Amino acid sequence: MTTTAVTGITSTTASSGGNVASDGGSAITARGVCWSKALNPTTANSKTTDGSGTGLYTSSITGLAPHTTYHVRAYATNVVGTGYGDDVSFVTAIVKDNLLETRDTGGVYYRNSDTGVWINLASPANLIAAGDLDGDGIDDLIGIWPGQGGVWAKYSKTGSWALLSSTASQISAGDMNGDGAVELLGTWDGQGVFYRVSSSGSWVLMATPASLITTGDLDGDGTDDLIGVWRGQGGVWAKMSATGNWSYLGSAPRDLAVGDMNGDGRVDLVGTWDGQGVFYRDSMTGQWVLMATAADQITTGDLDGDGTDDLIGSWAGQAGLWVKYSGTGTWAFIGTTARDIAAGKMAGGAWGLGINALGRLEASRGGFSEAPSLAALSDRSIPGPGSDPFLYLTEPQLTPLDLRPSLDRIPGPGEPGFHFTMQNNLWPEATKETANPHQKSRRGSSSDGVGIRRRP
């Protein structure tokens, strides 16, 4: 039998099928395709069932993740067993990330990267994050609102609000236990760093309280790692999910983010260091790359849909928010100054139609008056940090401690012996400033003065 070529590929679906040329003398009772991220999938993986008998058939593949490589094989089953066609691989389409921001005079908005239209999601928040807590393939709005108390989520599937916990000092979201679902991650003063298991609502203590946190799969094991700054520890630390051990990554930055900054498929640490610049740390090599002059705040997201994350942030002396596109290395002004920023796949949710470039309200749903106080439900069946009683599981090694020899680590920003590669266009300016594709990368170090960049 043979596997039909994959067609109709979107970010979450595709079409294939097969051709059963012969049944070998026993009737074919089931046929279809099976698929997985690994080579040579079997019927133990995801599969379709598309009738019986010999001949051509078509299959609809669903439930895929965007920008992911999959393998598919046709199969046919009779009393003798199951036979398979050849392995065919394909890559799902990219879904662009959208800039998410909270403005003091307006509210929380996201910007549709395809249309440039702004959509108002909620009233102004103190902190925001994005993550697909409800598993519908679209990120949910997570945040803390003044006067509301607690961490709230606005679910993209329904547009309804849920109270998830008491107020945290920092929030993020990621797959913290490898179950394929996104969890709320936060740090609570006097309590610790916890994540909330989305499937059960239970809580897990990961570390002592941190002053700054984010999360991303730095070690490439499929589970996100805890990354942050801890008072009294000095520097940026990561608790690697593969081992549960801590790794010291560099000196403490002003702000942190993660993203695939060089298109190699691995998530990299990104930070902004006062007097040094915005750097990312290549997770494959440990090398540092200078992307821009020092910023006030940063986040990352693939706004241009090229498969590599873009740098987004605000810079002193440059009003508003800027993006440095990975595809071209050029800068673009993208929005007004915001209290907090994030990026996520927000398009397609139950948000309403939004606000156009002139700021005119086009849809009442998701308008300025909408706030967590209008919540229709409270998702706190298992109380979170600060509650009484508060029950939780505890991971080992709660305090950052690097067990590796110091010679194994490449020094980071502000440390002796810091060396880095430098990108073009380090200062946010108009899009007319383009990178010269023939200009070679420059190298610098904190010892030769190149590590301190000023506006050209």
Side-chain angles (χ1 to χ4, degrees), residues 4 68 106 177 198 222 228 244 352 371 388:
T4 303
T68 302
N177 57 7
S198 293
D388 187 16

Side-chain angles (χ1 to χ4, degrees), residues 11-12 36 46 74 90 99 113 131 218 242-243 265 284 287 329 342 346-347 362 375 385 398 402 422 434 454:
S11 60
T12 58
S36 74
S46 300
F90 65 99
L99 171 64
S113 294
L218 298 183
T243 62
M284 298 288 285
Q287 298 290 336
M346 314 300 295
E362 294 181 336
L398 297 183
D402 198 339
M422 184 163 26
T434 59
R454 297 179 174 86

Side-chain angles (χ1 to χ4, degrees), residues 4 7 14-18 31-35 48-50 57-61 72 74-75:
T4 303
T7 60
S15 296
S16 183
R31 64 185 188 182
V33 297
C34 50
W35 67 92
T48 65
T49 302
D50 302 297
Y57 62 91
T58 58
S59 305
S60 296
I61 305 171
V72 60
Y75 76 88

Side-chain angles (χ1 to χ4, degrees), residues 342-410:
K345 301 183 188 328
M346 314 300 295
W351 313 125
L353 296 178
I355 296 175
N356 65 14
L358 299 178
R360 180 171 56 86
L361 189 64
E362 294 181 336
S364 58
R365 183 169 58 179
F368 294 111
S369 63
E370 189 165 349
S373 60
L374 305 179
L377 59 92
S378 177
D379 193 355
R380 297 185 67 189
S381 55
I382 300 179
S387 302
D388 187 16
F390 173 40
L391 304 177
Y392 54 88
L393 301 174
T394 303
E395 290 187 348
Q397 300 193 47
L398 297 183
T399 302
L401 176 63
D402 198 339
L403 301 177
R404 301 173 303 162
S406 59
L407 294 177
D408 290 348
R409 189 179 63 83
I410 297 176

